[in-house]
Amino acid sequence: MQLTSTELGLAARVHQLTKTYGAGAGEVRALDEVTVGIRRGEFTAIMGPSGSGKSTLMHIMAGLDAPTRGRAWIGDTEITGLSDLELTVLRRRRVGFVFQSFNLVPTLDAASNILLPFDLDGRRPSALEKARIDRLVETLGLTERLHHRPHELSGGQQQRVAIARALATAPDLVFADEPTGNLDSRSGREVLALLQAASRDHGQSIAMVTHDPVAASHADRVLFLGDGRVVADKPRQTAEELSAFMLATELGAAGVSA
Ligand SMILES: Nc1ncnc2c1ncn2[C@@H]1O[C@H](COP(=O)(O)OP(=O)(O)OP(=O)(O)O)[C@@H](O)[C@H]1O
Ligand SMILES: [Mg+2]
């Protein structure tokens, strides 16, 4: 009998996941038979060169994209095969996502973007949730920017709005694609501390893509992707250890500039 995700202590997992784009000679294999789980309550970093499949893996794990072959679960629910509506509801209740491209709604100001997950769910935040959102906004330094629309915000501010939106409902599972990519080192540290606290203090499961060994050193576990496969799976490492490993394996080679 196959063990469930809960029995395995996993918040999300994929089994023999393959994703290809295009066909024939132009076929790109973004993911090649990937089997991996995101452990419940852990902060997992995902590293690897540009084009190694990190975003593709996160999109499929979060139910935002469908694999070509293979299976995916969020908790004990198999998401491959769910209808769009079922997926939308599951995602809305359980998953927060920070996109590499932020995906803010251009016509809404920062405050409304942050509250969007509640609006989409047809409810208002409770007093407790309001307090949490206020703390997030303050920690992320967005208090003075709440009534600005995305085009009136810097890239780093937009990124912080996207992070506040992903964490606003305190979802079980948070996927963050390069959440510190546009931030100065101080705001980057604040964001990493938020993600760390989300897993350590609130038991949320966090998966974060990053090219930055310093950011990845905040994680409990670091997965390395190379050419659409998981090529290493390491417990917490220092930034120096991660850099040395990336250099030795050339896993950082194509990624450092991104
Ligand atoms: N919609 C698409 N159509 C065709 N090819 C795609 C598409 N999306 C991704 N790919 C290809 O799949 C591979 C993996 O892309 P992916 O975006 O997952 O990489 P990544 O590891 O997130 O890279 P980066 O660090 O640059 O964000 C790349 O070769 C990319 O060109
Ligand atoms: Mg990417």
Side-chain angles (χ1 to χ4, degrees):
M1 200 191 77
Q2 215 177 13
L3 291 173
T4 64
S5 301
T6 302
E7 286 161 342
L8 292 166
L10 300 176
R13 66 188 171 112
V14 298
H15 182 71
Q16 294 184 351
L17 203 70
T18 293
K19 177 73 176 180
T20 56
Y21 293 106
E27 185 187 280
V28 174
R29 187 166 292 234
L31 294 175
D32 191 4
E33 302 260 327
V34 173
T35 296
V36 73
I38 300 300
R39 292 191 204 113
R40 197 172 292 283
E42 254 188 21
F43 182 8
T44 303
I46 302 175
M47 303 192 81
S50 184
S52 57
K54 305 180 297 296
S55 295
T56 306
L57 178 62
M58 298 243 293
H59 287 146
I60 297 175
M61 283 193 135
L64 293 161
D65 196 0
T68 307
R69 278 189 302 282
R71 304 169 71 184
W73 291 260
I74 290 178
D76 288 329
T77 308
E78 181 166 2
I79 59 171
T80 26
L82 285 190
S83 70
D84 282 350
L85 181 65
E86 289 169 319
L87 256 181
T88 304
V89 171
L90 180 77
R91 225 173 23 231
R92 204 179 277 160
R93 304 252 155 95
R94 315 252 315 255
V95 181
F97 207 104
V98 182
F99 291 88
Q100 206 168 6
S101 55
F102 315 142
N103 271 31
L104 299 176
V105 179
T107 50
L108 296 179
D109 67 12
S112 304
N113 264 291
I114 293 169
L115 292 173
L116 195 63
F118 297 95
D119 286 342
L120 291 174
D121 208 22
R123 65 188 187 92
R124 315 227 115 246
S126 65
L128 210 71
E129 288 169 326
K130 274 202 188 111
R132 178 171 60 234
I133 294 166
D134 286 346
R135 271 199 311 278
L136 277 171
V137 163
E138 202 189 315
T139 307
L140 289 165
L142 292 168
T143 313
E144 306 296 314
R145 291 290 176 276
L146 284 176
H147 301 299
H148 294 238
R149 283 184 289 166
H151 74 271
E152 299 162 336
L153 297 169
S154 72
Q157 288 165 343
Q158 292 180 45
Q159 188 153 39
R160 284 177 276 151
V161 172
I163 292 161
R165 181 180 62 184
L167 296 176
T169 58
D172 298 343
L173 189 54
V174 176
F175 293 99
D177 202 344
E178 290 266 15
T180 58
N182 290 272
L183 303 182
D184 58 73
S185 53
R186 186 166 154 269
S187 334
R189 276 198 303 275
E190 304 273 5
V191 167
L192 292 166
L194 267 178
L195 295 175
Q196 222 167 19
S199 67
R200 194 172 288 167
D201 307 336
H202 305 289
Q204 289 165 273
S205 313
I206 317 285
M208 170 186 76
V209 170
T210 183
H211 287 289
D212 177 6
V214 175
S217 70
H218 288 73
D220 302 308
R221 174 191 186 195
V222 187
L223 294 173
F224 283 91
L225 257 60
D227 277 337
R229 294 165 185 258
V230 176
V231 293
D233 182 350
K234 292 173 168 291
R236 178 187 291 278
Q237 306 274 298
T238 65
E240 292 72 26
E241 287 168 332
L242 288 166
S243 301
F245 176 74
M246 286 157 72
L247 267 177
T249 54
E250 295 186 355
L251 277 170
V256 281
S257 61

